[in-house]
């Protein structure tokens, strides 16, 4: 426990500097882009020069970029993300409304891809070179080559349009009045297709990594010693080979968190899921810089938190790594 706390403290200190770089870098990139929220507003609604000047003053766009950056960093110290230009509401409230949907989509897709992918990888790697090994390896390679948005559209056409088994999009039935378990079942039914579209791509990656890791572990001396002792193949696979091949998958789980978040943006657009991805699209379309900064900041915090959990899990799975990190 002490080792994990020391590792957590080191990671948290480094995370502060990472978030600072993300905020400043994103702010400068958005400043370099042409146009601002006033331009987007005038294009959509119209207005004269007096209104443009009034809006720039109201939204603080008449100040210099350095002043606005300093004001934004000062507000962040007080956990204030500012006001959304598009929604005229605190950005924290807007993000908290959409964040649970994105977390639910990401969490379900991660559980599907990691759980089923590692299980199929163990099944394929238990007998290297067999028919099932070759079949799953080729199938996973083909699945990994499929773009997520294309897979999502195919699933919609087959299961939502033709067979009518699942809803086309959304997170739950509108004005259904469902509560409790009925509402949970309705949300689960809406999430089956988007979770499948997002999870199957990464399922192929975890399957191939697990299979490759097991193929390498099979050649280790301790596996040969276990076979020489007369242990059953099932016990060798589960207690020795799969356990040691699982460590690279845990590392990849943290590295893939950012890509999973980026993939959820596309899937949310395809299935009309009201999450951070669609919110980011709305912020870009309206040039709502404070809202977009808030979304990117929350996304960075989410990725860092996932990697922290993965580091702690890795320290428990491999005590040598945890001890070296804590003593460094």
């Amino acid at each position: 426990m002490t080792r994990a706390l020391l590792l957590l403290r080191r990671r948290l200190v480094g995370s502060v500097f990472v978030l600072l770089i993300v905020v400043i870098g994103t702010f400068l990139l958005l400043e370099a882009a042409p146009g601002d929220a006033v331009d987007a507003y005038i294009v959509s609604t119209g207005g004269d020069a007096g209104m443009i000047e009034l809006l720039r003053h109201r939204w603080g766009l008449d100040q210099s970029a350095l002043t606005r950056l300093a004001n934004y960093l000062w507000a962040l110290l007080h956990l204030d993300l500012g006001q959304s230009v598009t929604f005229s509401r605190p950005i924290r409230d807007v993000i908290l409304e959409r964040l649970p949907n994105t977390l639910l989509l990401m969490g379900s897709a991660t559980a599907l891809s990691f759980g089923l992918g590692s299980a199929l990888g163990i099944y394929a790697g238990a007998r290297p070179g067999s028919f099932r090994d070759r079949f799953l390896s080729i199938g996973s390679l083909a699945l990994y080559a499929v773009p997520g948005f294309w897979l999502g559209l195919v699933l919609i056409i087959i299961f939502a349009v033709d067979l009518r088994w699942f809803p086309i999009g959304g997170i739950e039935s509108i004005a259904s009045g469902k509560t409790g378990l009925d509402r949970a079942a309705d949300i689960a039914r809406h999430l089956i297709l988007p979770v499948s579209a997002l999870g199957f791509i990464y399922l192929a990656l975890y399957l191939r990594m697990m299979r490759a890791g097991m193929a390498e572990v099979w050649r280790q001396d301790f596996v040969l010693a276990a076979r020489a002792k007369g242990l059953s193949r099932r016990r060798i696979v589960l207690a020795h080979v799969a356990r040691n091949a699982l460590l690279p998958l845990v590392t990849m789980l943290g590295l893939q968190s950012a890509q999973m978040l980026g993939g959820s943006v596309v899937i949310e657009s395809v299935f009309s899921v009201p999450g951070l991805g669609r919110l980011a699209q709305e912020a870009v379309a309206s040039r709502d810089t404070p809202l977009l900064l808030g979304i990117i900041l929350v996304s960075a915090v989410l990725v860092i938190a996932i990697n922290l959990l993965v580091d702690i899990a890795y320290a428990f799975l491999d005590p040598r790594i945890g001890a070296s990190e804590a003593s460094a």
Side-chain angles (χ1 to χ4, degrees):
M1 181 63 68
T2 303
R3 184 173 65 247
L5 291 176
L6 290 175
L7 178 61
L8 180 61
R9 185 182 64 182
R10 289 174 56 86
R11 290 289 191 268
L12 287 176
V13 173
S15 299
V16 173
F17 293 99
V18 172
L19 291 177
L20 184 61
I21 294 174
V22 168
V23 170
I24 295 177
T26 304
F27 183 89
L28 295 178
L29 287 175
L30 292 177
E31 281 296 317
D36 54 22
V38 174
D39 296 328
Y41 181 83
I42 294 301
V43 168
S44 60
T45 62
D48 53 15
M51 179 179 291
I52 293 177
E53 184 178 356
L54 177 63
L55 290 176
R56 289 189 184 278
H57 178 72
R58 179 186 300 174
W59 294 338
L61 297 176
D62 55 345
Q63 301 175 349
S64 65
L66 185 60
T67 301
R68 283 186 282 118
L69 176 58
N71 292 335
Y72 185 75
L73 293 176
W74 177 254
L76 283 182
L77 291 177
H78 300 83
L79 302 180
D80 181 13
L81 298 179
Q83 291 282 328
S84 169
V85 174
T86 305
F87 297 93
S88 299
R89 295 173 53 199
I91 293 175
R92 180 176 55 188
D93 296 341
V94 177
I95 292 179
L96 287 179
E97 287 181 357
R98 305 288 189 97
L99 182 60
N101 297 332
T102 297
L103 291 179
L104 186 59
L105 176 61
M106 282 185 57
S108 302
T110 300
L112 172 66
S113 60
F114 186 83
L116 186 57
S118 58
L120 291 176
I122 293 173
Y123 182 71
R127 294 189 178 275
S130 62
F131 170 77
R132 70 188 187 191
D133 179 29
R134 292 194 295 269
F135 176 78
L136 289 174
S137 297
I138 295 174
S140 63
L141 181 61
L143 186 59
Y144 187 67
V146 175
F149 72 91
W150 185 86
L151 179 59
L153 293 175
V154 170
L155 292 177
I156 289 176
I157 294 174
I158 296 176
F159 295 102
V161 177
D162 293 341
L163 298 177
R164 298 182 182 275
W165 288 357
F166 304 104
I168 294 179
I171 191 67
E172 60 181 318
S173 300
I174 300 176
S176 63
K178 296 179 180 180
T179 58
L181 293 178
D182 291 336
R183 186 188 180 197
D186 183 56
I187 293 176
R189 186 167 175 266
H190 280 76
L191 283 177
I192 288 178
L193 292 184
V195 167
S196 300
L198 181 60
F200 281 165
I201 305 300
Y202 296 97
L203 179 150
L205 176 63
Y206 291 125
L207 190 157
R208 294 185 62 83
M209 286 193 61
M210 189 67 182
R211 189 267 172 198
M214 291 187 65
E216 182 178 353
V217 175
W218 270 116
R219 298 189 293 266
Q220 299 297 323
D221 294 336
F222 67 88
V223 176
L224 299 177
R227 298 177 65 180
K229 291 179 181 179
L231 298 179
S232 65
R233 189 177 187 90
R234 179 184 180 88
R235 183 176 179 183
I236 293 175
V237 169
L238 296 179
H240 298 280
V241 181
R243 181 179 179 181
N244 286 274
L246 189 63
L247 290 175
L249 265 71
V250 176
T251 302
M252 184 57 65
L253 183 64
L255 297 176
Q256 290 292 326
S257 59
Q259 294 187 19
M260 180 72 77
L261 183 60
S264 67
V265 173
V266 178
I267 297 301
E268 287 176 8
S269 300
V270 173
F271 289 92
S272 300
V273 177
L276 289 184
R278 293 197 63 195
L279 185 62
Q281 285 186 330
E282 297 171 11
V284 171
S286 59
R287 291 289 296 163
D288 194 342
T289 301
L291 179 58
L292 192 57
L293 278 172
I295 295 172
I296 294 175
L297 178 62
V298 171
S299 301
V301 171
L302 183 60
V303 172
I304 289 174
I306 294 174
N307 279 273
L308 284 175
L309 294 176
V310 169
D311 288 339
I312 294 175
Y314 205 100
F316 280 107
L317 290 173
D318 191 346
R320 297 171 299 174
I321 301 297
S324 60
E325 289 279 351
S327 61

